[in-house]
Amino acid sequence: MRAFVPEENLPDPEDALNLFLKEFPIKRRSIIVDLLQASGKVTSSPVIAEMDYPPFNRSTVDGFALRSTSTPGKLKIVGKISIGDWKDIKIGEGEAVEVDTGSPLPEGADAVVKVENTEVVDNLVTVKNKLRFGTNVAWAGSDIPRGTTILEKNQEVTPEDVGAMASLGVTSLEVYDMPSVYILATGDELVEPGKALGPGKIFESNVHYLSARLKQLGCRIVGGVVLPDEKEKIRQALKKAAQEADIIITTGGTSSGEKDYIHQIIREDGKIIIHGINFKPGKPTIMGALYGKPVFGLSGNIVATVMTFNQLVRKYIEHFSGISGATRRSVSSRVIATLIMPTRADPHRTTNTPVYVLEKGEKFFAIPLPFDSYMIGTFALADGYITLPPGSNLESGDQVEVNIKSVDTRPVLIGEEDESLKKFEGRKVLLGTVPACQALRYGLGDVLVLSEFLCKDVTNDDFVEIRKSRWILRNGEGDPVGYHEWVGMSKLVDNPSVKLKSPSTAKLFLGKAKVIAPSGYIHGERLAEEKLRILARKSYVEFLERIFSEH
């Protein structure tokens, strides 16, 4: 039975795929995979940090761990802790312990002096300058506090994510499964490569191309056969394919030839949803359902197979695997972006600084992140990075080239961290008021959270403003722990010994120093009332009013 595919009124590939998905919806599967198998897959549930990173207080330099209150002065060297060691050493006033970069700090130490800034004679080390609490220390949780969401649901896992999760001891995670695929090529003229090529015969190439392409996408190939144009053999092979695979792909047998049996079998035993697309090469393409499984009947022409695979089958696989709906995708590209915050390089070394990238119209904007080289979590969450020559200083408004490693399409919240905003379903860039105030000037972001301590008068007609007040509490004695100058609470602490990025890590310093944080993060006495400005695009105003009414 011949089946002629008309020339007119054929759907284009996009319309054809949408109709196919409507008629034959995909049923995704969630599976648990080992961490090393997760890159490129899409999360089916969030990944939450169950520990702090770093997991302990550690030195960021080679030198001597000590009590900051013992400086300046001559200190007795009472031991050494190498990287990877854990020694039960407690230091007192006037004592020091030699440490490497990455070594755990001994109990009682709250600062590290660089070895090049000391003089060592016998078992005494001389420190000439006063050290502040926290100097050259990477505090536990300063990169990834316990409870941080490392990956949200529906995000593509990147190699940097794998590194961050490994640093947290994660060994497996839940992702959407990739489909298994069975490939059948039909045609009396086909000979498998490696066998003798007789007159009128050609070497089969479609199965080889499809196998290579499917493996590249991460699919499992459970069968690949080359069959002559014998209807019952083809039917039995298709039944076997339906039993073993999620997707069936055939090549050949879709047009009007007397021995084009693929379309006949699908009509007899299943359902043809699409037969013919407005596309060249590849017009006689079939999409249908056979024995309960989706089947793609591609042309026997190798170029048509390549083209229709990329236009239809690849996109179907992306729906199956969750890639098409991923809110963050891995990419590798470069864009020119406008800095909305200043940044500077190391005076002597080329410096790579991670950035968040925001898009407005056809323009890109970059926010450089506070960063130290141990912060794999910060780097994994960033969209990309900029590379600066030694000694360079860049200002807001300067143009930079950004190496993009991922693209996040979720709505974005920029600004201060607050307990009431945990329900915001989107990206949270919790860097403080200063970058949020700059975003307001540039008209960037969807929700902006600003402290009146740092941004009181800047407005933008594209945003609706809601106000909220919160109490800032104080707990403890000793050297003050403050905040990065981008955070509103930085105005409440003069000359802090440590500058935190967010109040989530404030609890780590309780009992060690004087700590301030908003109510809900720590307990303590009231220090000051902070007024927050919540600015939102109109589509988010109702959501914000609802969550604030709950608090």
Side-chain angles (χ1 to χ4, degrees):
M1 180 179 67
R2 295 178 182 269
F4 294 95
V5 179
E7 295 285 348
E8 299 81 19
N9 301 319
L10 293 177
D12 62 28
E14 183 177 358
D15 289 339
L17 181 59
N18 288 336
L19 177 59
F20 185 57
L21 289 169
K22 182 178 179 181
E23 291 282 327
F24 200 82
I26 289 172
K27 298 178 181 178
R28 291 191 186 129
R29 293 190 301 264
S30 179
I31 60 171
I32 296 175
V33 297
D34 291 340
L35 182 59
L36 289 175
Q37 305 302 317
S39 184
K41 294 182 171 61
V42 176
T43 54
S44 58
S45 64
V47 179
I48 310 297
E50 296 184 359
M51 59 177 281
D52 293 318
Y53 183 79
F56 50 82
N57 301 331
R58 66 188 195 183
S59 174
T60 61
V61 297
D62 295 334
F64 293 89
L66 43 78
R67 291 190 174 191
S68 55
T69 52
S70 297
T71 62
K74 284 187 177 182
L75 289 73
K76 181 181 179 181
I77 302 171
V78 295
K80 177 178 180 179
I81 302 178
S82 299
I83 188 169
D85 287 348
W86 185 271
K87 293 182 178 178
D88 187 17
I89 299 176
K90 182 175 182 179
I91 64 171
E93 290 292 338
E95 296 179 333
V97 170
E98 186 177 358
V99 292
D100 300 327
T101 301
S103 293
L105 260 61
E107 185 179 350
D110 60 27
V112 180
V113 60
K114 290 183 178 180
V115 66
E116 56 263 38
N117 295 333
T118 66
E119 293 179 2
V120 178
V121 177
D122 297 327
N123 68 333
L124 294 176
V125 57
T126 299
V127 182
K128 295 181 178 181
N129 298 318
K130 171 67 178 175
L131 263 68
R132 298 294 309 279
F133 178 94
T135 301
N136 299 320
V137 174
W139 297 103
S142 55
D143 182 28
I144 309 173
R146 182 195 301 264
T148 299
T149 300
I150 304 303
L151 283 167
E152 297 280 3
K153 181 180 178 180
N154 295 325
Q155 291 190 322
E156 182 179 356
V157 181
T158 69
E160 293 81 9
D161 294 327
V162 172
M165 287 185 283
S167 298
L168 293 165
V170 175
T171 59
S172 62
L173 64 155
E174 291 185 23
V175 299
Y176 291 116
D177 197 7
M178 294 295 292
S180 57
V181 184
Y182 203 108
I183 309 167
L184 293 90
T186 63
D188 288 334
E189 75 280 12
L190 301 179
V191 175
E192 295 188 45
K195 295 184 179 180
L197 189 67
K201 305 293 185 181
I202 60 171
F203 286 122
E204 193 287 321
S205 55
N206 285 327
V207 171
H208 290 76
Y209 163 74
L210 290 169
S211 296
R213 191 73 174 93
L214 289 163
K215 287 179 181 177
Q216 185 182 53
L217 294 175
C219 299
R220 300 186 306 280
I221 301 168
V222 295
V225 296
V226 179
L227 299 172
D229 289 321
E230 297 179 19
K231 189 172 182 178
E232 289 310 310
K233 278 190 176 181
I234 296 171
R235 192 192 306 275
Q236 293 307 310
L238 287 169
K239 287 182 178 179
K240 183 174 187 292
Q243 292 173 350
E244 298 182 4
D246 297 309
I247 300 172
I248 304 168
I249 303 176
T250 70
T251 66
T254 64
S255 192
S256 56
E258 291 185 359
K259 291 187 175 182
D260 284 342
Y261 294 125
I262 291 293
H263 68 85
Q264 297 180 26
I265 296 170
I266 298 174
R267 277 194 174 88
E268 292 165 4
D269 294 2
K271 178 182 180 182
I272 289 181
I273 297 170
I274 298 290
H275 191 185
I277 57 174
N278 187 19
F279 191 74
K280 181 180 180 179
K283 186 186 78 169
T285 298
I286 291 174
M287 288 185 281
L290 185 64
Y291 313 123
K293 297 295 175 66
V295 57
F296 291 86
L298 310 184
S299 168
N301 179 300
I302 178 61
V303 177
T305 292
V306 171
M307 296 297 182
T308 51
F309 180 91
N310 287 324
Q311 288 290 322
L312 296 172
V313 184
R314 175 183 61 83
K315 293 180 179 180
Y316 183 86
I317 290 169
E318 289 177 349
H319 280 276
F320 191 104
S321 64
I323 283 289
S324 64
T327 58
R328 190 193 68 170
R329 294 285 305 273
S330 176
V331 300
S332 179
S333 65
R334 290 188 175 97
V335 301
I336 301 300
T338 301
L339 281 176
I340 72 168
M341 294 295 299
T343 188
R344 64 178 56 190
D346 183 275
H348 309 293
R349 292 181 291 178
T350 297
T351 302
N352 295 295
T353 300
V355 297
Y356 285 123
V357 177
L358 304 172
E359 191 172 356
K360 182 181 179 182
E362 297 181 355
K363 295 182 179 180
F364 296 93
F365 299 84
I367 306 175
L369 305 182
F371 181 70
D372 207 338
S373 56
Y374 68 90
M375 294 181 173
I376 180 59
T378 300
F379 189 80
L381 291 172
D383 298 315
Y385 61 93
I386 56 177
T387 301
L388 305 179
S392 57
N393 293 321
L394 299 181
E395 301 298 330
S396 173
D398 287 346
Q399 301 289 296
V400 292
E401 182 180 66
V402 182
N403 296 280
I404 300 289
K405 62 184 184 65
S406 61
V407 173
D408 196 316
T409 59
R410 292 176 296 166
V412 61
L413 180 153
I414 307 170
E416 300 286 339
E417 181 177 344
D418 189 78
E419 287 283 306
S420 62
L421 294 168
K422 284 187 174 180
K423 291 183 180 180
F424 177 78
E425 294 183 355
R427 190 176 198 192
K428 300 181 183 73
V429 180
L430 303 177
L431 297 176
T433 290
V434 177
C437 196
Q438 285 294 91
L440 183 61
R441 288 187 172 97
Y442 282 96
L444 305 173
D446 297 290
V447 177
L448 307 175
V449 185
L450 306 105
S451 168
E452 286 198 353
F453 290 149
L454 291 173
C455 186
K456 192 172 184 179
D457 300 321
V458 179
T459 60
N460 189 309
D461 291 340
D462 292 335
F463 292 83
V464 177
E465 184 168 339
I466 300 171
R467 291 179 178 263
K468 176 193 175 181
S469 295
R470 64 181 182 179
W471 283 102
I472 306 303
L473 308 182
R474 177 172 54 199
N475 184 305
E477 299 296 333
D479 283 344
V481 172
Y483 289 86
H484 190 278
E485 53 267 24
W486 292 356
V487 178
M489 288 180 290
S490 65
K491 285 295 186 180
L492 300 177
V493 181
D494 294 327
N495 200 22
S497 56
V498 177
K499 294 181 178 181
L500 305 181
K501 293 188 292 184
S502 78
S504 291
T505 53
K507 61 182 181 296
L508 300 172
F509 295 88
L510 294 175
K512 302 174 184 176
K514 185 187 296 182
V515 179
I516 70 167
S519 175
Y521 291 89
I522 64 170
H523 297 288
E525 62 179 347
R526 288 181 173 181
L527 174 64
E529 186 178 28
E530 182 181 30
K531 294 180 179 179
L532 296 180
R533 302 174 59 203
I534 320 295
L535 294 105
R537 298 194 184 274
K538 292 180 181 179
S539 56
Y540 293 94
V541 172
E542 183 179 345
F543 163 76
L544 291 173
E545 290 176 340
R546 184 173 67 254
I547 64 172
F548 287 141
S549 67
E550 294 173 357
H551 287 77

